[in-house]
Amino acid sequence: MNECYYDKRMDFFYNKTKTDTADEWTGLQLIVVLCFGTFFCLFIFISNSLVIAAVVKNKRFHFPFYYLLANLAAADFFAGIAYVFLMFNTGPVSKTLTVNRWFLRQGLLDTSLTASLVNLLVIAVERHMSIMRMKIHSNLTKKRVTFLIISIWAIAIFMGAVPTLGWNCLCDITVCSSLAPIYSRSYLVFWSVLNLVVFFIMVVVYIRIYMYVQRKTNVLSSHTSGSISRRRTPVKLMKTVMTVLGAFVVCWTPGLVVLLLDGLNCTDCGIQNVKRWFLLLALLNSVMNPIIYSYKDDEMWGTMKRMICCSSEDKSQERRSSRIPSTVLCRSTDTSGHYIEDGIIQGTICGKGDLGDKGNS
């Protein structure tokens, strides 16, 4: 029976697998890495929080697609937490970690990746349900969307905990990988192949859906009298999703390929030299997504901008309103005119106030 090493620290496994833990990462180099990592993580927290708040605040986003988009932002927010934990438990510190703390470090990363991946799969299903009926949004109820979101996180947490639950090399160090010294190489092969296959399937599905939408839109445009912007809305949503998916695939595929090579025990592939750069590329994915949402969706950008600028203008607006005579505020008794005036005021304060009509008309 093989001996198990649950009570060993990580330096034991790093030495056994001859893994480089970046002992040279000290001084200025370490400070630069920590500064950039801190900046990216802060941006991830703030930007993805804005996306979630925009979906909650704007009633035009109260549809299954945007709920799932907010959940994807939550997965990116969680990824930021995982990167912060990794940032302070990597390099020379890696050798001092206990087995359980190292499992936690990697489990957080695996959970964030799985949450994003499964969420994109669910969005693909939601888009398929709506697009094949040529609707902007599917008929999923809030209860079903809530169940899907809970299921996404349950699957993500389970996949992140699989090595901890037993698929590791603590009792057979001969099968330990190089990049993940207490992960079994067979697990790395399973993990990387599974994700790469799902990547390929999603890319194919989204391309087919996009081609279907383009074909249907061209046919309907010559036979219907509906607004052009409304006919283009499903296409705009698909472009947003496909851009997010493309960024996800580009940022994560190199790292998964490196894990696959490590799982296949490729000793001459130079994976130790590129692992940190590919991890940084994966981090950039959580930075890019909020930028994609705001750039591709005018309504999202308008809502986020109003939240940012109005929060800073609330106090000054209150001071101004306290000096306005009550007769001015009550001059108009027409309800519709009151709403129009409100819209003008809001557009003046926050700018780009008419983006909502562009984004979801």
Side-chain angles (χ1 to χ4, degrees):
M1 183 175 180
N2 293 333
E3 181 181 358
C4 296
Y5 300 94
Y6 294 102
D7 58 339
K8 297 290 185 179
R9 288 192 174 270
M10 288 305 300
D11 58 342
F12 172 82
F13 299 97
Y14 280 116
N15 292 333
K16 286 288 184 181
T17 57
K18 298 180 181 179
T19 302
D20 174 26
T21 56
D23 289 323
E24 71 278 5
W25 278 40
T26 57
L28 180 61
Q29 189 176 18
L30 182 60
I31 293 174
V32 171
V33 170
L34 290 177
C35 288
F36 273 98
T38 301
F39 172 77
F40 285 141
C41 289
L42 285 175
F43 182 83
I44 288 171
F45 293 144
I46 296 172
S47 58
N48 284 287
S49 297
L50 281 173
V51 173
I52 297 171
V55 173
V56 173
K57 183 177 181 180
N58 193 332
K59 292 184 178 180
R60 294 190 181 186
F61 295 150
H62 291 184
F63 293 98
F65 172 78
Y66 286 104
Y67 291 146
L68 295 172
L69 201 66
N71 192 51
L72 188 59
D76 287 327
F77 187 95
F78 184 84
I81 297 175
Y83 291 129
V84 169
F85 191 83
L86 173 66
M87 194 165 49
F88 293 99
N89 291 275
T90 190
V93 182
S94 299
K95 287 187 176 183
T96 66
L97 299 178
T98 63
V99 167
N100 290 333
R101 192 171 181 85
W102 196 93
F103 272 136
L104 176 61
R105 189 189 82 173
Q106 298 304 122
L108 290 174
L109 292 173
D110 294 346
T111 299
S112 65
L113 169 60
T114 306
S116 298
L117 183 62
V118 178
N119 206 93
L120 284 170
L121 269 175
V122 174
I123 290 177
V125 174
E126 190 275 341
R127 286 294 84 197
H128 186 273
M129 292 172 58
S130 59
I131 293 301
M132 292 307 168
R133 296 179 177 87
M134 287 307 294
K135 295 181 178 180
I136 300 176
H137 301 290
S138 65
N139 295 324
L140 286 173
T141 62
K142 288 186 178 181
K143 288 184 178 180
R144 291 182 178 178
V145 174
T146 302
F147 173 77
L148 287 173
I149 292 175
I150 294 174
S151 300
I152 288 170
W153 285 103
I155 294 171
I157 293 172
F158 173 76
M159 292 301 295
V162 166
T164 310
L165 297 175
W167 200 344
N168 54 61
C169 63
L170 292 177
C171 296
D172 187 6
I173 60 175
T174 60
V175 298
C176 289
S177 67
S178 175
L179 292 178
I182 55 178
Y183 276 12
S184 173
R185 287 196 297 270
S186 60
Y187 173 75
L188 288 188
V189 172
F190 162 78
W191 172 257
S192 54
V193 169
L194 175 65
N195 285 283
L196 290 172
V197 169
V198 174
F199 283 3
F200 178 76
I201 292 174
M202 283 197 299
V203 170
V204 172
V205 169
Y206 276 115
I207 290 176
R208 287 177 60 87
I209 293 177
Y210 184 73
M211 292 175 63
Y212 174 83
V213 170
Q214 289 283 48
R215 186 170 63 252
K216 279 290 186 179
T217 302
N218 292 335
V219 172
L220 291 175
S221 61
S222 59
H223 295 87
T224 60
S225 58
S227 66
I228 296 176
S229 61
R230 183 168 183 82
R231 290 198 299 268
R232 289 178 178 173
T233 300
V235 180
K236 291 175 66 176
L237 291 180
M238 281 304 304
K239 286 182 178 179
T240 300
V241 176
M242 291 185 68
T243 305
V244 171
L245 176 63
F248 187 80
V249 171
V250 169
C251 290
W252 280 99
T253 298
L256 291 173
V257 171
V258 166
L259 289 177
L260 177 60
L261 293 174
D262 187 28
L264 296 175
N265 200 23
C266 180
T267 57
D268 299 325
C269 298
I271 56 178
Q272 293 289 345
N273 300 325
V274 296
K275 63 178 183 180
R276 300 181 195 92
W277 302 110
F278 289 164
L279 181 61
L280 179 61
L281 184 61
L283 169 64
L284 288 177
N285 178 240
S286 297
V287 175
M288 292 170 59
N289 282 344
I291 299 175
I292 295 172
Y293 304 150
S294 58
Y295 178 76
K296 301 293 289 186
D297 193 323
D298 290 337
E299 177 77 8
M300 178 68 72
W301 166 243
T303 304
M304 293 170 65
K305 187 176 180 180
R306 285 194 296 271
M307 286 191 300
I308 295 172
C309 70
C310 287
S311 62
S312 62
E313 294 284 346
D314 278 344
K315 293 183 179 179
S316 59
Q317 185 180 6
E318 288 175 2
R319 289 194 296 267
R320 288 196 304 269
S321 62
S322 64
R323 296 192 294 268
I324 298 176
S326 59
T327 53
V328 176
L329 294 176
C330 302
R331 181 175 297 171
S332 175
T333 57
D334 187 300
T335 306
S336 61
H338 177 65
Y339 286 132
I340 293 173
E341 289 173 3
D342 285 347
I344 295 173
I345 292 173
Q346 188 175 15
T348 304
I349 296 175
C350 300
K352 210 173 182 177
D354 59 339
L355 285 176
D357 295 333
K358 284 177 60 183
N360 245 8
S361 60

